[in-house]
Amino acid sequence: MKAALISYDDVREVDLKTNSAGSAYAAIRSAVEGGFVEPFNALYGDSITLYVNDNGIAEGQHPNRAVYANERMQEMRYLSMMAPASFKAVRKGDLYTVLFGPIVAVGYDPDTGADRDLEPEELEAVMRDFGDGAPMGPGSGLEALLLRRLADSLASM
């Protein structure tokens, strides 16, 4: 299965091994460093699924990537996972969350509920969104956490 691996320092295309039923679950689990696998669909909706270790949605591994709200998330009135007490819908560009550990991106077929190969344009979008120089690029997760904690500590003074 054609996918993208979003590691701490780069994004690259990978080919995940599937089993006889066509599932790449074992390969995804290995790529996100074991544990249970958790889907994260907030960013791309029904077209691309990001998979993380179940500890990758909470602080359990090293911070990898910051996720900033896009227009779709703003229109759907997503609430920030970084400031749940505020109960304010995110606006495009707001910090939504930080994902921890390696991330695997695969295509998603909403009609069948199955993962599928990333289409070339989807792979390009993932590489653009998480690549070098992008707001969600390498180091963005750690930077976002440090800035959030600094702001929180200044606010409590």
Side-chain angles (χ1 to χ4, degrees), residues 6-8 38-40 42-43 50-69 73 79-84 90 93-103 130 135-149 152:
I6 305 163
S7 64
Y8 297 103
E38 185 77 26
F40 180 83
L43 192 61
L50 301 178
Y51 284 105
V52 296
N53 182 294
D54 67 340
N55 289 327
I57 291 185
E59 294 183 42
Q61 294 178 306
H62 298 293
N64 188 348
R65 295 297 204 278
V67 175
Y68 294 96
M73 294 167 73
L79 299 177
S80 174
M81 293 177 70
M82 297 298 291
V90 293
D94 287 352
L95 178 62
Y96 177 69
T97 195
V98 172
L99 297 178
F100 294 74
I103 305 161
F130 292 101
M136 296 187 293
S140 63
L142 179 59
E143 180 181 332
L145 281 180
L146 292 173
L147 288 172
R148 172 64 67 167
R149 289 184 179 154
D152 289 347

Side-chain angles (χ1 to χ4, degrees), residues 2 27 44 59 62 77 83 85 102 106-107 111 119 141-142 146 150:
K2 300 277 185 234
Y44 297 109
E59 294 183 42
H62 298 293
R77 304 192 48 79
V106 298
D111 294 329
E119 298 292 335
L142 179 59
L146 292 173
L150 177 62

Side-chain angles (χ1 to χ4, degrees), residues 11-94:
V11 182
R12 65 185 178 281
E13 182 178 0
V14 294
D15 195 12
L16 301 174
K17 186 176 180 176
T18 58
N19 65 18
S20 60
S23 172
Y25 179 80
I28 292 170
R29 185 174 181 204
S30 176
V32 300
E33 299 180 349
F36 292 103
V37 174
E38 185 77 26
F40 180 83
N41 293 328
L43 192 61
Y44 297 109
D46 283 343
S47 61
I48 299 170
T49 297
L50 301 178
Y51 284 105
V52 296
N53 182 294
D54 67 340
N55 289 327
I57 291 185
E59 294 183 42
Q61 294 178 306
H62 298 293
N64 188 348
R65 295 297 204 278
V67 175
Y68 294 96
N70 57 26
E71 286 180 31
R72 188 186 71 75
M73 294 167 73
Q74 177 178 316
E75 289 170 10
M76 294 184 74
R77 304 192 48 79
Y78 274 71
L79 299 177
S80 174
M81 293 177 70
M82 297 298 291
S86 70
F87 296 109
K88 290 184 180 177
V90 293
R91 294 199 172 285
K92 181 181 176 185
D94 287 352

